[in-house]
Amino acid sequence: MQFNDDDKLSQLLKINDELNHIKDIDSLLDTILYKTRRLTNADAGSIFLLDNQELNFSYVQNDTLRKQDPLNNKQIYSSFSIPVNEKSIAGYVALKGQSLNIDDVHNLDDTVPYSFNSSFDEIAGYITNSMMTIPLISTRSQVIGVMQIINAKDDSGMHVPFKTSDENYLNFFAGSATSAIEKAKMTREMILRMIKMAELRDPKETGAHVNRVGSYSIEIFQKWAEIKGLKYKEIKNYKDILRIAAMLHDVGKVAISDIILKKPARLNDGEFKIMKTHAYQGAKLFHGNVSDLDALSFDIAYTHHERWDGRGYPRRLRGENIPLAGRIVALADVYDALISARVYKPAWEETEVVSLLEKEAGHHFDPDLVEIFLSIYDVIEAIRNKFPDKE
Ligand code: C2E
Ligand code: SIN
Ligand code: SIN
Ligand code: SIN
Ligand code: FE
Ligand code: FE
């Protein structure tokens, strides 16, 4: 449905407040795009964030493609970037700091320097017509990215141009979106810094590992929640904190000495006993549960080494006595530990990793979660491609 113009200002103010409560950068981008598309009745959209003079593709939504393949969340893990210059639409908007409202990207005026890059449409099997591209400008007048919304629809679902009035309030909305994005980016950076400190090891490895574990975890949860019939809002709120809490699963390793943490060989029994304390040490950091994020981070740090069959550590919890999030991260973490090289072991072959997961379903892991994991395996692979280990 489409809001009429009178409602829009009050909608915008409400959304602004909502944005300020979201902690995770990805769930923030998701909300920003969703709200923008609802306000303008747009079929699709994406957000690019600026990093090193490049616009990095950071988030996408597309109702048409989602309807064709509802389970496929792969697209949001695509990665490509566009240089900031006059050649592309997004690049032009970032360069000039001004929005562009294009009625049909296939009928651009001869006088414009940019052209439409149709490769994304071709890969996805989609046709872009109208496109509004808005710069995300910070209060310090820096362009931090662009938001692109695609194919406005009329009440019958036909593609129509975006309205000029849309352009005005979207520029206003982009301001609040930008400050929320800057805040969430800072939160993400703080967390990565905390993790680097905790692991005190090869920092090139850790960032990618925790990003992957965070992403696998929310995708496993998303599928689990859809099967259980959880409401959109519940799913969204939980995902917002799950990614961050999952990224922090091993933060208790801050208490483990370098000699053990970085030992390029198998640990002996005494060393492993010390290593195992990282679960409790991590939980302690979040004790007190002042926020939902603390409570979930506590659960995950404490229970990510428990096993479904009750033979894990530190408390030998069993089955559904292990919090769902702990069961999810256990699976995500072991998968990623096996598929990657570690200081103490080479990477395993993919087929061996998958057969270990299958073999451990109902033993180490919650069998329902293993089934879910394998059913979204193409998304898991897309996540690995998005966050590769650096050489
Ligand atoms: P991590 O490297 O993040 O590994 C997480 C979990 O993945 C491990 O929990 C284990 O369940 C699984 N995993 C990792 N590598 C293997 C493997 O080669 N075979 C099998 N079957 N499973 C594997 P776990 O065992 O409780 O270890 C917790 C943490 O202790 C590890 O986190 C790692 O930081 C450290 N660690 C464990 N074993 C060794 C070791 O032999 N040498 C060193 N230096 N560190 C180790
Ligand atoms: C562009 O802005 O021309 C590139 C992005 C896209 O193809 O959607
Ligand atoms: C982790 O500790 O889980 C990631 C880094 C590593 O084990 O090498
Ligand atoms: C469950 O344990 O199956 C769901 C409740 C939770 O979030 O831990
Ligand atoms: Fe751990
Ligand atoms: Fe880990």
Side-chain angles (χ1 to χ4, degrees):
M1 70 151 237
Q2 174 102 291
F3 296 108
N4 61 48
D5 282 349
D6 291 345
D7 293 338
K8 275 177 183 161
L9 187 63
S10 66
Q11 279 295 326
L12 288 175
L13 293 173
K14 234 174 70 197
I15 295 169
N16 182 30
D17 189 53
E18 211 174 302
L19 294 186
N20 278 312
H21 286 97
I22 298 179
K23 296 176 192 69
D24 177 61
I25 178 84
D26 290 87
S27 56
L28 178 68
L29 299 181
D30 187 70
T31 304
I32 290 170
L33 266 185
Y34 181 74
K35 302 285 182 189
T36 308
R37 294 194 307 110
R38 271 198 70 192
L39 285 162
T40 54
N41 211 29
D43 188 51
S46 37
I47 293 179
F48 296 82
L49 295 180
L50 194 66
D51 187 28
N52 275 324
Q53 283 306 300
E54 299 248 289
L55 288 166
N56 289 325
F57 174 79
S58 300
Y59 214 84
V60 63
Q61 285 173 353
N62 188 312
D63 279 348
T64 299
L65 296 177
R66 185 112 189 137
K67 260 177 224 136
Q68 287 162 6
D69 188 0
L71 295 183
N72 202 330
N73 243 355
K74 248 191 323 207
Q75 276 190 68
I76 59 173
Y77 297 107
S78 314
S79 50
F80 63 92
S81 48
I82 302 176
V84 176
N85 61 33
E86 295 194 331
K87 295 204 178 98
S88 71
I89 297 166
Y92 183 89
V93 166
L95 187 69
K96 302 288 177 184
Q98 273 170 13
S99 53
L100 276 179
N101 184 2
I102 298 171
D103 291 351
D104 185 358
V105 293
H106 299 288
N107 273 307
L108 292 176
D109 203 282
D110 287 342
T111 59
V112 300
Y114 45 82
S115 58
F116 173 63
N117 174 354
S118 60
S119 57
F120 187 78
D121 275 13
E122 278 152 27
I123 295 164
Y126 186 75
I127 296 172
T128 299
N129 298 115
S130 59
M131 180 186 265
M132 172 113 78
T133 309
I134 303 135
L136 300 171
I137 301 176
S138 75
T139 47
R140 281 163 286 109
S141 307
Q142 301 280 325
V143 173
I144 67 146
V146 302
M147 172 159 62
Q148 202 157 55
I149 48 172
I150 293 167
N151 289 344
K153 293 178 295 184
D154 65 15
D155 290 339
S156 66
M158 294 292 292
H159 292 181
V160 291
F162 287 95
K163 289 183 276 181
T164 319
S165 60
D166 285 348
E167 199 174 334
N168 295 334
Y169 65 75
L170 280 188
N171 275 309
F172 171 78
F173 174 59
S176 15
T178 303
S179 50
I181 289 171
E182 287 190 297
K183 221 175 72 188
K185 267 175 79 171
M186 242 162 65
T187 306
R188 174 73 61 93
E189 277 159 20
M190 285 293 296
I191 286 165
L192 288 172
R193 226 171 282 148
M194 214 168 132
I195 289 162
K196 268 185 200 158
M197 236 168 59
E199 311 239 329
L200 295 173
R201 66 176 77 202
D202 216 0
K204 67 190 166 126
E205 201 173 283
T206 42
H209 168 67
V210 298
N211 272 307
R212 290 190 301 257
V213 170
S215 294
Y216 305 147
S217 297
I218 61 160
E219 293 300 334
I220 297 168
F221 171 73
Q222 165 90 40
K223 188 68 195 289
W224 180 91
E226 280 167 12
I227 293 169
K228 297 279 173 191
L230 262 63
K231 296 207 180 61
Y232 172 81
K233 188 98 193 164
E234 273 178 273
I235 297 180
K236 230 179 129 39
N237 288 343
Y238 196 77
K239 276 168 71 178
D240 180 35
I241 55 176
L242 177 59
R243 182 198 298 273
I244 295 176
M247 289 173 83
L248 291 167
H249 68 276
D250 268 340
V251 75
K253 285 180 179 172
V254 72
I256 310 297
S257 87
D258 257 23
I259 299 157
I260 295 177
L261 207 56
K262 293 183 182 167
K263 183 178 176 183
R266 295 239 63 103
L267 301 179
N268 63 39
D269 289 350
E271 289 164 340
F272 193 52
K273 194 161 167 245
I274 294 166
M275 176 55 94
K276 288 203 284 193
T277 66
H278 81 276
Y280 172 69
Q281 301 282 0
K284 262 196 342 199
L285 293 173
F286 304 105
H287 196 62
N289 294 1
V290 295
S291 68
D292 290 350
L293 178 60
D294 285 339
L296 192 64
S297 303
F298 177 89
D299 274 352
I300 290 176
Y302 211 178
T303 65
H304 74 279
H305 287 292
E306 299 290 355
R307 292 172 47 116
W308 183 254
D309 61 14
R311 292 168 50 230
Y313 66 90
R315 287 180 291 168
R316 299 181 137 260
L317 301 179
R318 177 196 293 266
E320 287 188 356
N321 289 331
I322 307 164
L324 173 70
R327 281 153 27 213
I328 290 175
V329 172
L331 180 58
D333 184 37
V334 172
Y335 171 78
D336 204 66
L338 295 178
I339 205 104
S340 320
R342 288 282 197 260
V343 283
Y344 61 92
K345 65 165 242 329
W348 287 24
E349 289 294 332
E350 185 160 10
T351 52
E352 289 175 41
V353 179
V354 171
S355 50
L356 179 125
L357 298 189
E358 284 167 341
K359 195 174 76 146
E360 292 290 344
H363 302 288
H364 192 151
F365 308 118
D366 177 342
D368 291 348
L369 295 182
V370 174
E371 195 180 322
I372 286 171
F373 187 85
L374 298 175
S375 77
I376 57 165
Y377 203 72
D378 55 344
V379 180
I380 302 295
E381 284 177 310
I383 293 168
R384 274 170 49 205
N385 289 331
K386 171 145 186 170
F387 302 110
D389 286 318
K390 307 221 168 56
E391 286 310 311

